Each structure stands twice: as C-alpha cells, then as structure tokens.
Amino acid sequence: MREFLLIGIGAGDPDYLTLQAIKAINRVDVFFVLDKRAETAELTRFRRQVCEQFATDRPWRFVTLQDPVRDQGQERYTSVVEDWHDARARLLEQAIRTELEEGQCGALLLWGDPALYDSAMRLMEIIQARGNLALDYRVIPGITSVQALAAGHRIPLNRIGEPVHVTTGRQLAKGFPEDLDAVLVMLDGDLSYRKVMEEDMEIFWGAYLGTEDEILISGPAKDVTPRIEQARLTGRAAKGWIMDTYLLRRTRRSD
C-alpha cells in the first residue's frame, strides 16, 4: 500500500503553512508537481522552497509532470473539465506507480486548501475507482486566498446575519444572486463582476495574495474598476499569470 497526502500550503506566504502541514511534509518521500506551463514556473519554485525550508526530517525528491492541456471549449464546460481530470488522474497514477515504492509516502502540495476549487481529491477518487493501484490518501487543510483577502483588507467575510456565498466568475456572469447582498468570487479570468455591477456596490479585490507581490484594491466598484483592470494587466505582463479573488457586495441596506 502506498500512502498519499494532499497538503494545503496556503495562498503564497510560507508562514501560512499550518503545523499539521509541516508535520505532513516531513513524512513525504516524493513530492509530485503538475506543472502547467513555463509562465507558472514560479509556483513550482515556491513549492520547492517550501520543501527546502520545512522538509528537514528525511530525504525527499521532486517529480515534475507536464500537466495535460485542457480544451478551452466553452459550450460543453463540464464534460471538458471531466475529461481533463481523467487525463490528469491517469498521468498521476502512472507516475505514482513508477516513482513511489510500496510503503512510501507521496504528496501534492496544493495552493490554498484542497477542498476549495481544487481538483486533487477528484484525481484521487478517479485513481481509486480505476482499481489498478492500492492507494490510501489523506487531506491536510490550508489557508485559502479567501481568508488572505479578508485579512489583507481587514474585513469580516460576512456582515451581521449574512451568509457567505463563494462562487466563480463563470457563475457570476449569469447574474448577481437576487437573494444575496454579497459574493466571494474566485477563478474569474474576465472580471465578470463588470457585467452585474450595480451603482451601490463595493469591492474588495486582491491578487497574488500572501506573496511579496500582493496587490489590494478596495472601494466603490465603479470607481476602482479602472485601477483593478490596470493592475491585472500589469501583473500578468510582468509575471505571465495572475490569481485574484474578490468580495463584491451591495451597500448594507437598512434593517
């Protein structure tokens, strides 16, 4: 039996690692990395830095895998993502079989938390369902960009009596929820809030949260949108990638 850990390493600051994550890292023999492209090599370097800083109890090594390219077709989004997950699972399964010996421990170091908009647990379930590899896995939670956003802006995620609604840019583009006053948005490559923005809305936006390149912008959404747009363009041009998160909400109505 091989052991596998899905370790949440936070949103970009090594100090975000929990004690549980550090203990888990020190049990790992092989760290697997699904590297998407040259532009995101910085994220791979960060994972290696985490290991060099915290993995001190035993020898370890990195195995880097070229992540399968996902079809960007929009008309059948769900099936496209499912096909991509299946391709990733097959790639990871083969790597575990050849690179991780029986009795050893492998791991994926996951940005943020494995439970929030991350596919790693789905990959493990696909591998187990295929039945070709005896694999036991555990999940180690991490600090998300949502928490880092709230801390950076010094705001609670919800006002008194409000629910917390977390969604994606793709879903927000379909319309702002009628029964809510606030949404937390992740995975938004197009700043979809511009399609649903109302006069009284405010935004708390952040990019590269937890890193030395962190950017925070807040204020009335219509007023600060040009600044956010420019910050995204500048960041992407400089780094080749951008990860941003934001809280969009209506001004609090009188009770």
mmCIF file of all heavy atoms in Angstrom, residues 4-10 17 20-22 24-26 28 30-35 43-55 60-63 88 92 106-114 118 120 140:
data_model
loop_
_atom_site.group_PDB
_atom_site.id
_atom_site.type_symbol
_atom_site.label_atom_id
_atom_site.label_comp_id
_atom_site.label_asym_id
_atom_site.label_seq_id
_atom_site.Cartn_x
_atom_site.Cartn_y
_atom_site.Cartn_z
ATOM 1 N N PHE A 4 -0.620 8.570 0.291
ATOM 2 C CA PHE A 4 -0.556 9.824 -0.461
ATOM 3 C C PHE A 4 -1.230 10.923 0.349
ATOM 4 O O PHE A 4 -2.296 10.712 0.950
ATOM 5 C CB PHE A 4 -1.249 9.665 -1.818
ATOM 6 C CG PHE A 4 -0.693 10.572 -2.872
ATOM 7 C CD1 PHE A 4 0.406 10.189 -3.620
ATOM 8 C CD2 PHE A 4 -1.253 11.809 -3.114
ATOM 9 C CE1 PHE A 4 0.942 11.028 -4.594
ATOM 10 C CE2 PHE A 4 -0.739 12.653 -4.072
ATOM 11 C CZ PHE A 4 0.358 12.262 -4.824
ATOM 12 N N LEU A 5 -0.603 12.100 0.345
ATOM 13 C CA LEU A 5 -1.113 13.245 1.096
ATOM 14 C C LEU A 5 -1.424 14.393 0.153
ATOM 15 O O LEU A 5 -0.629 14.711 -0.735
ATOM 16 C CB LEU A 5 -0.088 13.703 2.136
ATOM 17 C CG LEU A 5 0.383 12.663 3.157
ATOM 18 C CD1 LEU A 5 1.458 13.257 4.057
ATOM 19 C CD2 LEU A 5 -0.785 12.154 3.985
ATOM 20 N N LEU A 6 -2.575 15.012 0.350
ATOM 21 C CA LEU A 6 -2.927 16.254 -0.337
ATOM 22 C C LEU A 6 -2.780 17.366 0.690
ATOM 23 O O LEU A 6 -3.586 17.488 1.616
ATOM 24 C CB LEU A 6 -4.362 16.179 -0.864
ATOM 25 C CG LEU A 6 -4.686 14.995 -1.779
ATOM 26 C CD1 LEU A 6 -6.148 15.049 -2.207
ATOM 27 C CD2 LEU A 6 -3.757 14.953 -2.981
ATOM 28 N N ILE A 7 -1.725 18.156 0.536
ATOM 29 C CA ILE A 7 -1.338 19.104 1.583
ATOM 30 C C ILE A 7 -1.617 20.531 1.122
ATOM 31 O O ILE A 7 -1.010 21.033 0.173
ATOM 32 C CB ILE A 7 0.159 18.958 1.928
ATOM 33 C CG1 ILE A 7 0.478 17.510 2.314
ATOM 34 C CG2 ILE A 7 0.537 19.907 3.060
ATOM 35 C CD1 ILE A 7 1.962 17.253 2.547
ATOM 36 N N GLY A 8 -2.534 21.197 1.807
ATOM 37 C CA GLY A 8 -2.784 22.609 1.544
ATOM 38 C C GLY A 8 -1.653 23.444 2.113
ATOM 39 O O GLY A 8 -1.345 23.350 3.303
ATOM 40 N N ILE A 9 -1.027 24.255 1.250
ATOM 41 C CA ILE A 9 0.136 25.035 1.696
ATOM 42 C C ILE A 9 -0.157 26.530 1.746
ATOM 43 O O ILE A 9 0.757 27.354 1.841
ATOM 44 C CB ILE A 9 1.364 24.769 0.807
ATOM 45 C CG1 ILE A 9 1.082 25.098 -0.662
ATOM 46 C CG2 ILE A 9 1.819 23.328 0.968
ATOM 47 C CD1 ILE A 9 2.305 25.010 -1.558
ATOM 48 N N GLY A 10 -1.444 26.908 1.682
ATOM 49 C CA GLY A 10 -1.776 28.307 1.821
ATOM 50 C C GLY A 10 -1.720 29.057 0.510
ATOM 51 O O GLY A 10 -1.489 28.500 -0.559
ATOM 52 N N LEU A 17 1.657 28.093 6.237
ATOM 53 C CA LEU A 17 1.634 26.656 6.487
ATOM 54 C C LEU A 17 1.260 26.378 7.937
ATOM 55 O O LEU A 17 1.788 26.993 8.866
ATOM 56 C CB LEU A 17 2.996 26.024 6.187
ATOM 57 C CG LEU A 17 3.136 25.453 4.766
ATOM 58 C CD1 LEU A 17 3.304 26.571 3.767
ATOM 59 C CD2 LEU A 17 4.270 24.470 4.692
ATOM 60 N N GLN A 20 0.195 21.250 11.197
ATOM 61 C CA GLN A 20 -0.199 19.951 10.645
ATOM 62 C C GLN A 20 0.422 19.745 9.261
ATOM 63 O O GLN A 20 0.897 18.653 8.935
ATOM 64 C CB GLN A 20 -1.718 19.856 10.548
ATOM 65 C CG GLN A 20 -2.210 18.481 10.084
ATOM 66 C CD GLN A 20 -3.711 18.446 9.880
ATOM 67 O OE1 GLN A 20 -4.341 19.474 9.650
ATOM 68 N NE2 GLN A 20 -4.294 17.262 9.976
ATOM 69 N N ALA A 21 0.425 20.801 8.438
ATOM 70 C CA ALA A 21 1.011 20.694 7.099
ATOM 71 C C ALA A 21 2.511 20.434 7.180
ATOM 72 O O ALA A 21 3.051 19.618 6.425
ATOM 73 C CB ALA A 21 0.731 21.971 6.312
ATOM 74 N N ILE A 22 3.196 21.102 8.092
ATOM 75 C CA ILE A 22 4.646 20.915 8.236
ATOM 76 C C ILE A 22 4.956 19.486 8.678
ATOM 77 O O ILE A 22 5.878 18.839 8.174
ATOM 78 C CB ILE A 22 5.221 21.946 9.208
ATOM 79 C CG1 ILE A 22 5.115 23.353 8.607
ATOM 80 C CG2 ILE A 22 6.679 21.618 9.543
ATOM 81 C CD1 ILE A 22 5.477 24.463 9.569
ATOM 82 N N ALA A 24 3.109 16.906 8.092
ATOM 83 C CA ALA A 24 2.818 16.034 6.953
ATOM 84 C C ALA A 24 3.941 16.077 5.929
ATOM 85 O O ALA A 24 4.339 15.045 5.376
ATOM 86 C CB ALA A 24 1.499 16.455 6.308
ATOM 87 N N ILE A 25 4.459 17.256 5.656
ATOM 88 C CA ILE A 25 5.555 17.410 4.693
ATOM 89 C C ILE A 25 6.754 16.561 5.099
ATOM 90 O O ILE A 25 7.450 15.994 4.252
ATOM 91 C CB ILE A 25 5.930 18.900 4.562
ATOM 92 C CG1 ILE A 25 4.862 19.635 3.729
ATOM 93 C CG2 ILE A 25 7.316 19.086 3.957
ATOM 94 C CD1 ILE A 25 5.018 21.134 3.718
ATOM 95 N N ASN A 26 6.976 16.444 6.384
ATOM 96 C CA ASN A 26 8.127 15.683 6.859
ATOM 97 C C ASN A 26 7.915 14.179 6.853
ATOM 98 O O ASN A 26 8.813 13.436 7.256
ATOM 99 C CB ASN A 26 8.516 16.174 8.260
ATOM 100 C CG ASN A 26 9.371 17.418 8.214
ATOM 101 O OD1 ASN A 26 10.560 17.344 7.921
ATOM 102 N ND2 ASN A 26 8.765 18.577 8.475
ATOM 103 N N VAL A 28 6.914 12.836 3.838
ATOM 104 C CA VAL A 28 6.838 12.581 2.399
ATOM 105 C C VAL A 28 8.192 12.151 1.835
ATOM 106 O O VAL A 28 9.224 12.757 2.131
ATOM 107 C CB VAL A 28 6.321 13.834 1.668
ATOM 108 C CG1 VAL A 28 6.328 13.613 0.161
ATOM 109 C CG2 VAL A 28 4.912 14.180 2.151
ATOM 110 N N VAL A 30 8.273 11.474 -1.780
ATOM 111 C CA VAL A 30 8.256 12.013 -3.138
ATOM 112 C C VAL A 30 7.141 13.049 -3.256
ATOM 113 O O VAL A 30 5.973 12.756 -2.965
ATOM 114 C CB VAL A 30 8.029 10.905 -4.189
ATOM 115 C CG1 VAL A 30 8.086 11.501 -5.601
ATOM 116 C CG2 VAL A 30 9.052 9.794 -4.033
ATOM 117 N N PHE A 31 7.509 14.255 -3.680
ATOM 118 C CA PHE A 31 6.543 15.309 -3.961
ATOM 119 C C PHE A 31 6.284 15.347 -5.465
ATOM 120 O O PHE A 31 7.220 15.489 -6.260
ATOM 121 C CB PHE A 31 7.065 16.674 -3.499
ATOM 122 C CG PHE A 31 7.227 16.789 -2.011
ATOM 123 C CD1 PHE A 31 8.466 16.548 -1.412
ATOM 124 C CD2 PHE A 31 6.166 17.152 -1.204
ATOM 125 C CE1 PHE A 31 8.628 16.656 -0.039
ATOM 126 C CE2 PHE A 31 6.322 17.255 0.180
ATOM 127 C CZ PHE A 31 7.555 17.015 0.757
ATOM 128 N N PHE A 32 5.024 15.225 -5.852
ATOM 129 C CA PHE A 32 4.649 15.271 -7.260
ATOM 130 C C PHE A 32 4.124 16.668 -7.590
ATOM 131 O O PHE A 32 3.379 17.267 -6.812
ATOM 132 C CB PHE A 32 3.579 14.227 -7.567
ATOM 133 C CG PHE A 32 4.062 12.809 -7.402
ATOM 134 C CD1 PHE A 32 4.034 12.196 -6.157
ATOM 135 C CD2 PHE A 32 4.551 12.099 -8.488
ATOM 136 C CE1 PHE A 32 4.475 10.886 -5.993
ATOM 137 C CE2 PHE A 32 5.003 10.786 -8.332
ATOM 138 C CZ PHE A 32 4.971 10.187 -7.082
ATOM 139 N N VAL A 33 4.515 17.184 -8.747
ATOM 140 C CA VAL A 33 4.103 18.520 -9.173
ATOM 141 C C VAL A 33 3.500 18.424 -10.568
ATOM 142 O O VAL A 33 4.143 17.926 -11.492
ATOM 143 C CB VAL A 33 5.285 19.505 -9.196
ATOM 144 C CG1 VAL A 33 4.815 20.878 -9.661
ATOM 145 C CG2 VAL A 33 5.923 19.598 -7.820
ATOM 146 N N LEU A 34 2.270 18.902 -10.715
ATOM 147 C CA LEU A 34 1.645 19.012 -12.029
ATOM 148 C C LEU A 34 1.910 20.425 -12.537
ATOM 149 O O LEU A 34 1.259 21.386 -12.134
ATOM 150 C CB LEU A 34 0.139 18.743 -11.919
ATOM 151 C CG LEU A 34 -0.240 17.280 -11.666
ATOM 152 C CD1 LEU A 34 -1.682 17.177 -11.179
ATOM 153 C CD2 LEU A 34 -0.042 16.450 -12.917
ATOM 154 N N ASP A 35 2.908 20.543 -13.397
ATOM 155 C CA ASP A 35 3.380 21.840 -13.880
ATOM 156 C C ASP A 35 2.620 22.206 -15.145
ATOM 157 O O ASP A 35 2.655 21.480 -16.135
ATOM 158 C CB ASP A 35 4.881 21.764 -14.163
ATOM 159 C CG ASP A 35 5.487 23.141 -14.331
ATOM 160 O OD1 ASP A 35 4.790 24.135 -14.048
ATOM 161 O OD2 ASP A 35 6.647 23.229 -14.755
ATOM 162 N N LEU A 43 5.280 29.154 -9.422
ATOM 163 C CA LEU A 43 4.507 28.389 -8.448
ATOM 164 C C LEU A 43 5.205 27.081 -8.093
ATOM 165 O O LEU A 43 5.158 26.625 -6.952
ATOM 166 C CB LEU A 43 3.113 28.117 -8.994
ATOM 167 C CG LEU A 43 2.302 29.343 -9.427
ATOM 168 C CD1 LEU A 43 0.923 28.921 -9.918
ATOM 169 C CD2 LEU A 43 2.191 30.344 -8.293
ATOM 170 N N THR A 44 5.865 26.486 -9.080
ATOM 171 C CA THR A 44 6.641 25.272 -8.822
ATOM 172 C C THR A 44 7.840 25.591 -7.943
ATOM 173 O O THR A 44 8.176 24.840 -7.020
ATOM 174 C CB THR A 44 7.100 24.641 -10.144
ATOM 175 O OG1 THR A 44 5.946 24.275 -10.909
ATOM 176 C CG2 THR A 44 7.951 23.401 -9.891
ATOM 177 N N ARG A 45 8.494 26.716 -8.220
ATOM 178 C CA ARG A 45 9.638 27.119 -7.390
ATOM 179 C C ARG A 45 9.205 27.344 -5.954
ATOM 180 O O ARG A 45 9.939 26.998 -5.020
ATOM 181 C CB ARG A 45 10.280 28.387 -7.956
ATOM 182 C CG ARG A 45 11.055 28.168 -9.239
ATOM 183 C CD ARG A 45 11.975 29.342 -9.513
ATOM 184 N NE ARG A 45 11.238 30.587 -9.691
ATOM 185 C CZ ARG A 45 10.767 31.016 -10.859
ATOM 186 N NH1 ARG A 45 10.933 30.287 -11.951
ATOM 187 N NH2 ARG A 45 10.126 32.157 -10.948
ATOM 188 N N PHE A 46 8.030 27.918 -5.756
ATOM 189 C CA PHE A 46 7.552 28.152 -4.393
ATOM 190 C C PHE A 46 7.372 26.826 -3.661
ATOM 191 O O PHE A 46 7.738 26.695 -2.489
ATOM 192 C CB PHE A 46 6.235 28.925 -4.411
ATOM 193 C CG PHE A 46 5.630 29.116 -3.047
ATOM 194 C CD1 PHE A 46 6.124 30.084 -2.183
ATOM 195 C CD2 PHE A 46 4.584 28.310 -2.606
ATOM 196 C CE1 PHE A 46 5.585 30.256 -0.918
ATOM 197 C CE2 PHE A 46 4.038 28.470 -1.348
ATOM 198 C CZ PHE A 46 4.541 29.446 -0.508
ATOM 199 N N ARG A 47 6.817 25.829 -4.342
ATOM 200 C CA ARG A 47 6.637 24.518 -3.714
ATOM 201 C C ARG A 47 7.984 23.922 -3.314
ATOM 202 O O ARG A 47 8.133 23.340 -2.235
ATOM 203 C CB ARG A 47 5.890 23.589 -4.665
ATOM 204 C CG ARG A 47 4.421 23.935 -4.850
ATOM 205 C CD ARG A 47 3.783 23.057 -5.902
ATOM 206 N NE ARG A 47 2.329 23.189 -5.932
ATOM 207 C CZ ARG A 47 1.673 24.085 -6.661
ATOM 208 N NH1 ARG A 47 2.348 24.947 -7.414
ATOM 209 N NH2 ARG A 47 0.353 24.129 -6.639
ATOM 210 N N ARG A 48 8.972 24.061 -4.169
ATOM 211 C CA ARG A 48 10.296 23.548 -3.835
ATOM 212 C C ARG A 48 10.886 24.304 -2.644
ATOM 213 O O ARG A 48 11.523 23.704 -1.761
ATOM 214 C CB ARG A 48 11.230 23.640 -5.048
ATOM 215 C CG ARG A 48 12.591 23.001 -4.815
ATOM 216 C CD ARG A 48 13.443 23.040 -6.064
ATOM 217 N NE ARG A 48 12.933 22.138 -7.088
ATOM 218 C CZ ARG A 48 13.224 20.860 -7.138
ATOM 219 N NH1 ARG A 48 13.996 20.300 -6.208
ATOM 220 N NH2 ARG A 48 12.749 20.103 -8.107
ATOM 221 N N GLN A 49 10.685 25.597 -2.594
ATOM 222 C CA GLN A 49 11.179 26.397 -1.467
ATOM 223 C C GLN A 49 10.527 25.954 -0.157
ATOM 224 O O GLN A 49 11.180 25.912 0.892
ATOM 225 C CB GLN A 49 10.914 27.878 -1.731
ATOM 226 C CG GLN A 49 11.779 28.469 -2.832
ATOM 227 C CD GLN A 49 11.290 29.838 -3.284
ATOM 228 O OE1 GLN A 49 10.360 30.398 -2.704
ATOM 229 N NE2 GLN A 49 11.903 30.372 -4.325
ATOM 230 N N VAL A 50 9.234 25.636 -0.234
ATOM 231 C CA VAL A 50 8.537 25.135 0.960
ATOM 232 C C VAL A 50 9.196 23.859 1.458
ATOM 233 O O VAL A 50 9.443 23.690 2.659
ATOM 234 C CB VAL A 50 7.043 24.901 0.646
ATOM 235 C CG1 VAL A 50 6.390 24.028 1.722
ATOM 236 C CG2 VAL A 50 6.311 26.228 0.526
ATOM 237 N N CYS A 51 9.519 22.961 0.534
ATOM 238 C CA CYS A 51 10.163 21.701 0.925
ATOM 239 C C CYS A 51 11.558 21.955 1.498
ATOM 240 O O CYS A 51 11.941 21.356 2.516
ATOM 241 C CB CYS A 51 10.254 20.762 -0.271
ATOM 242 S SG CYS A 51 8.657 20.166 -0.843
ATOM 243 N N GLU A 52 12.312 22.825 0.850
ATOM 244 C CA GLU A 52 13.663 23.110 1.329
ATOM 245 C C GLU A 52 13.647 23.740 2.713
ATOM 246 O O GLU A 52 14.546 23.514 3.522
ATOM 247 C CB GLU A 52 14.373 24.028 0.332
ATOM 248 C CG GLU A 52 14.680 23.327 -0.996
ATOM 249 C CD GLU A 52 15.196 24.278 -2.049
ATOM 250 O OE1 GLU A 52 15.120 25.511 -1.824
ATOM 251 O OE2 GLU A 52 15.664 23.801 -3.102
ATOM 252 N N GLN A 53 12.601 24.516 3.003
ATOM 253 C CA GLN A 53 12.516 25.185 4.299
ATOM 254 C C GLN A 53 11.985 24.274 5.397
ATOM 255 O O GLN A 53 12.478 24.311 6.537
ATOM 256 C CB GLN A 53 11.618 26.426 4.191
ATOM 257 C CG GLN A 53 11.488 27.209 5.494
ATOM 258 C CD GLN A 53 10.709 28.498 5.311
ATOM 259 O OE1 GLN A 53 10.404 28.917 4.183
ATOM 260 N NE2 GLN A 53 10.380 29.147 6.406
ATOM 261 N N PHE A 54 11.009 23.427 5.064
ATOM 262 C CA PHE A 54 10.297 22.697 6.112
ATOM 263 C C PHE A 54 10.542 21.193 6.118
ATOM 264 O O PHE A 54 10.350 20.558 7.160
ATOM 265 C CB PHE A 54 8.795 22.964 5.993
ATOM 266 C CG PHE A 54 8.403 24.390 6.245
ATOM 267 C CD1 PHE A 54 7.960 25.200 5.204
ATOM 268 C CD2 PHE A 54 8.482 24.932 7.520
ATOM 269 C CE1 PHE A 54 7.600 26.517 5.432
ATOM 270 C CE2 PHE A 54 8.123 26.253 7.763
ATOM 271 C CZ PHE A 54 7.678 27.057 6.708
ATOM 272 N N ALA A 55 10.924 20.602 4.991
ATOM 273 C CA ALA A 55 11.101 19.143 4.939
ATOM 274 C C ALA A 55 12.518 18.795 5.377
ATOM 275 O O ALA A 55 13.424 18.626 4.559
ATOM 276 C CB ALA A 55 10.832 18.624 3.531
ATOM 277 N N TRP A 60 14.042 13.588 0.451
ATOM 278 C CA TRP A 60 12.864 13.692 -0.393
ATOM 279 C C TRP A 60 13.301 14.104 -1.802
ATOM 280 O O TRP A 60 14.420 14.552 -2.010
ATOM 281 C CB TRP A 60 11.876 14.723 0.156
ATOM 282 C CG TRP A 60 12.492 16.071 0.427
ATOM 283 C CD1 TRP A 60 13.046 16.486 1.603
ATOM 284 C CD2 TRP A 60 12.639 17.163 -0.501
ATOM 285 N NE1 TRP A 60 13.531 17.775 1.485
ATOM 286 C CE2 TRP A 60 13.294 18.213 0.199
ATOM 287 C CE3 TRP A 60 12.282 17.364 -1.823
ATOM 288 C CZ2 TRP A 60 13.589 19.444 -0.402
ATOM 289 C CZ3 TRP A 60 12.578 18.580 -2.433
ATOM 290 C CH2 TRP A 60 13.224 19.601 -1.708
ATOM 291 N N ARG A 61 12.402 13.909 -2.739
ATOM 292 C CA ARG A 61 12.695 14.352 -4.095
ATOM 293 C C ARG A 61 11.420 14.836 -4.784
ATOM 294 O O ARG A 61 10.320 14.532 -4.343
ATOM 295 C CB ARG A 61 13.339 13.242 -4.912
ATOM 296 C CG ARG A 61 12.530 11.978 -5.059
ATOM 297 C CD ARG A 61 13.368 10.853 -5.656
ATOM 298 N NE ARG A 61 12.614 9.612 -5.779
ATOM 299 C CZ ARG A 61 11.913 9.270 -6.869
ATOM 300 N NH1 ARG A 61 11.915 10.078 -7.938
ATOM 301 N NH2 ARG A 61 11.249 8.138 -6.902
ATOM 302 N N PHE A 62 11.628 15.604 -5.851
ATOM 303 C CA PHE A 62 10.542 16.167 -6.638
ATOM 304 C C PHE A 62 10.375 15.374 -7.921
ATOM 305 O O PHE A 62 11.364 15.016 -8.566
ATOM 306 C CB PHE A 62 10.869 17.623 -7.010
ATOM 307 C CG PHE A 62 10.066 18.648 -6.261
ATOM 308 C CD1 PHE A 62 9.954 18.605 -4.893
ATOM 309 C CD2 PHE A 62 9.426 19.674 -6.944
ATOM 310 C CE1 PHE A 62 9.237 19.554 -4.203
ATOM 311 C CE2 PHE A 62 8.698 20.631 -6.275
ATOM 312 C CZ PHE A 62 8.594 20.572 -4.896
ATOM 313 N N VAL A 63 9.140 15.114 -8.312
ATOM 314 C CA VAL A 63 8.831 14.558 -9.623
ATOM 315 C C VAL A 63 7.872 15.526 -10.306
ATOM 316 O O VAL A 63 6.745 15.733 -9.835
ATOM 317 C CB VAL A 63 8.195 13.155 -9.519
ATOM 318 C CG1 VAL A 63 7.714 12.688 -10.895
ATOM 319 C CG2 VAL A 63 9.192 12.164 -8.941
ATOM 320 N N ARG A 88 -5.484 13.900 -16.171
ATOM 321 C CA ARG A 88 -4.564 14.204 -15.075
ATOM 322 C C ARG A 88 -4.430 13.001 -14.137
ATOM 323 O O ARG A 88 -3.335 12.685 -13.670
ATOM 324 C CB ARG A 88 -5.047 15.413 -14.270
ATOM 325 C CG ARG A 88 -5.171 16.700 -15.044
ATOM 326 C CD ARG A 88 -5.631 17.817 -14.138
ATOM 327 N NE ARG A 88 -4.527 18.615 -13.677
ATOM 328 C CZ ARG A 88 -4.547 19.347 -12.559
ATOM 329 N NH1 ARG A 88 -5.604 19.338 -11.783
ATOM 330 N NH2 ARG A 88 -3.485 20.055 -12.220
ATOM 331 N N LEU A 92 -1.010 11.025 -13.223
ATOM 332 C CA LEU A 92 -0.537 10.930 -11.845
ATOM 333 C C LEU A 92 -0.453 9.479 -11.397
ATOM 334 O O LEU A 92 0.503 9.083 -10.708
ATOM 335 C CB LEU A 92 -1.462 11.729 -10.931
ATOM 336 C CG LEU A 92 -1.066 11.801 -9.456
ATOM 337 C CD1 LEU A 92 0.317 12.411 -9.275
ATOM 338 C CD2 LEU A 92 -2.104 12.615 -8.670
ATOM 339 N N GLY A 106 3.794 9.687 -0.784
ATOM 340 C CA GLY A 106 3.860 10.733 -1.802
ATOM 341 C C GLY A 106 2.924 11.865 -1.452
ATOM 342 O O GLY A 106 2.076 11.737 -0.552
ATOM 343 N N ALA A 107 3.051 12.982 -2.156
ATOM 344 C CA ALA A 107 2.196 14.128 -1.843
ATOM 345 C C ALA A 107 2.086 15.080 -3.019
ATOM 346 O O ALA A 107 2.976 15.158 -3.876
ATOM 347 C CB ALA A 107 2.734 14.883 -0.621
ATOM 348 N N LEU A 108 0.984 15.809 -3.038
ATOM 349 C CA LEU A 108 0.819 17.006 -3.848
ATOM 350 C C LEU A 108 0.739 18.188 -2.896
ATOM 351 O O LEU A 108 -0.006 18.145 -1.900
ATOM 352 C CB LEU A 108 -0.466 16.945 -4.679
ATOM 353 C CG LEU A 108 -0.507 15.979 -5.867
ATOM 354 C CD1 LEU A 108 -1.912 15.944 -6.450
ATOM 355 C CD2 LEU A 108 0.506 16.377 -6.931
ATOM 356 N N LEU A 109 1.516 19.227 -3.166
ATOM 357 C CA LEU A 109 1.435 20.460 -2.391
ATOM 358 C C LEU A 109 0.474 21.392 -3.123
ATOM 359 O O LEU A 109 0.748 21.830 -4.239
ATOM 360 C CB LEU A 109 2.818 21.101 -2.263
ATOM 361 C CG LEU A 109 3.888 20.262 -1.570
ATOM 362 C CD1 LEU A 109 5.217 21.018 -1.526
ATOM 363 C CD2 LEU A 109 3.457 19.861 -0.168
ATOM 364 N N LEU A 110 -0.645 21.697 -2.487
ATOM 365 C CA LEU A 110 -1.744 22.369 -3.171
ATOM 366 C C LEU A 110 -1.900 23.803 -2.694
ATOM 367 O O LEU A 110 -1.931 24.084 -1.493
ATOM 368 C CB LEU A 110 -3.040 21.599 -2.933
ATOM 369 C CG LEU A 110 -2.976 20.127 -3.357
ATOM 370 C CD1 LEU A 110 -4.231 19.402 -2.920
ATOM 371 C CD2 LEU A 110 -2.783 20.005 -4.856
ATOM 372 N N TRP A 111 -2.011 24.693 -3.667
ATOM 373 C CA TRP A 111 -2.217 26.117 -3.367
ATOM 374 C C TRP A 111 -3.518 26.284 -2.600
ATOM 375 O O TRP A 111 -4.547 25.713 -2.948
ATOM 376 C CB TRP A 111 -2.277 26.881 -4.682
ATOM 377 C CG TRP A 111 -1.781 28.284 -4.593
ATOM 378 C CD1 TRP A 111 -2.543 29.403 -4.532
ATOM 379 C CD2 TRP A 111 -0.424 28.717 -4.595
ATOM 380 N NE1 TRP A 111 -1.738 30.517 -4.478
ATOM 381 C CE2 TRP A 111 -0.440 30.121 -4.514
ATOM 382 C CE3 TRP A 111 0.798 28.045 -4.644
ATOM 383 C CZ2 TRP A 111 0.741 30.870 -4.497
ATOM 384 C CZ3 TRP A 111 1.957 28.792 -4.622
ATOM 385 C CH2 TRP A 111 1.928 30.182 -4.548
ATOM 386 N N GLY A 112 -3.509 27.043 -1.531
ATOM 387 C CA GLY A 112 -4.720 27.274 -0.754
ATOM 388 C C GLY A 112 -5.137 26.035 0.015
ATOM 389 O O GLY A 112 -4.357 25.464 0.774
ATOM 390 N N ASP A 113 -6.380 25.607 -0.202
ATOM 391 C CA ASP A 113 -6.943 24.463 0.506
ATOM 392 C C ASP A 113 -7.465 23.448 -0.504
ATOM 393 O O ASP A 113 -8.105 23.823 -1.493
ATOM 394 C CB ASP A 113 -8.088 24.911 1.418
ATOM 395 C CG ASP A 113 -8.666 23.758 2.218
ATOM 396 O OD1 ASP A 113 -9.572 23.073 1.713
ATOM 397 O OD2 ASP A 113 -8.184 23.532 3.340
ATOM 398 N N PRO A 114 -7.220 22.146 -0.275
ATOM 399 C CA PRO A 114 -7.652 21.125 -1.240
ATOM 400 C C PRO A 114 -9.156 21.053 -1.448
ATOM 401 O O PRO A 114 -9.615 20.501 -2.451
ATOM 402 C CB PRO A 114 -7.134 19.819 -0.615
ATOM 403 C CG PRO A 114 -6.027 20.238 0.293
ATOM 404 C CD PRO A 114 -6.414 21.584 0.817
ATOM 405 N N ASP A 118 -10.352 23.018 -6.099
ATOM 406 C CA ASP A 118 -9.143 22.279 -6.442
ATOM 407 C C ASP A 118 -9.566 20.869 -6.842
ATOM 408 O O ASP A 118 -10.503 20.318 -6.272
ATOM 409 C CB ASP A 118 -8.177 22.228 -5.255
ATOM 410 C CG ASP A 118 -6.848 21.607 -5.628
ATOM 411 O OD1 ASP A 118 -6.730 20.373 -5.532
ATOM 412 O OD2 ASP A 118 -5.934 22.363 -6.027
ATOM 413 N N ALA A 120 -7.678 18.012 -6.820
ATOM 414 C CA ALA A 120 -6.828 16.910 -6.357
ATOM 415 C C ALA A 120 -7.619 15.753 -5.761
ATOM 416 O O ALA A 120 -7.312 14.584 -6.010
ATOM 417 C CB ALA A 120 -5.807 17.424 -5.342
ATOM 418 N N ILE A 140 -4.882 17.415 4.060
ATOM 419 C CA ILE A 140 -4.416 18.369 5.073
ATOM 420 C C ILE A 140 -4.890 19.759 4.658
ATOM 421 O O ILE A 140 -4.494 20.276 3.614
ATOM 422 C CB ILE A 140 -2.875 18.366 5.177
ATOM 423 C CG1 ILE A 140 -2.328 16.932 5.313
ATOM 424 C CG2 ILE A 140 -2.424 19.246 6.338
ATOM 425 C CD1 ILE A 140 -2.807 16.189 6.526
#
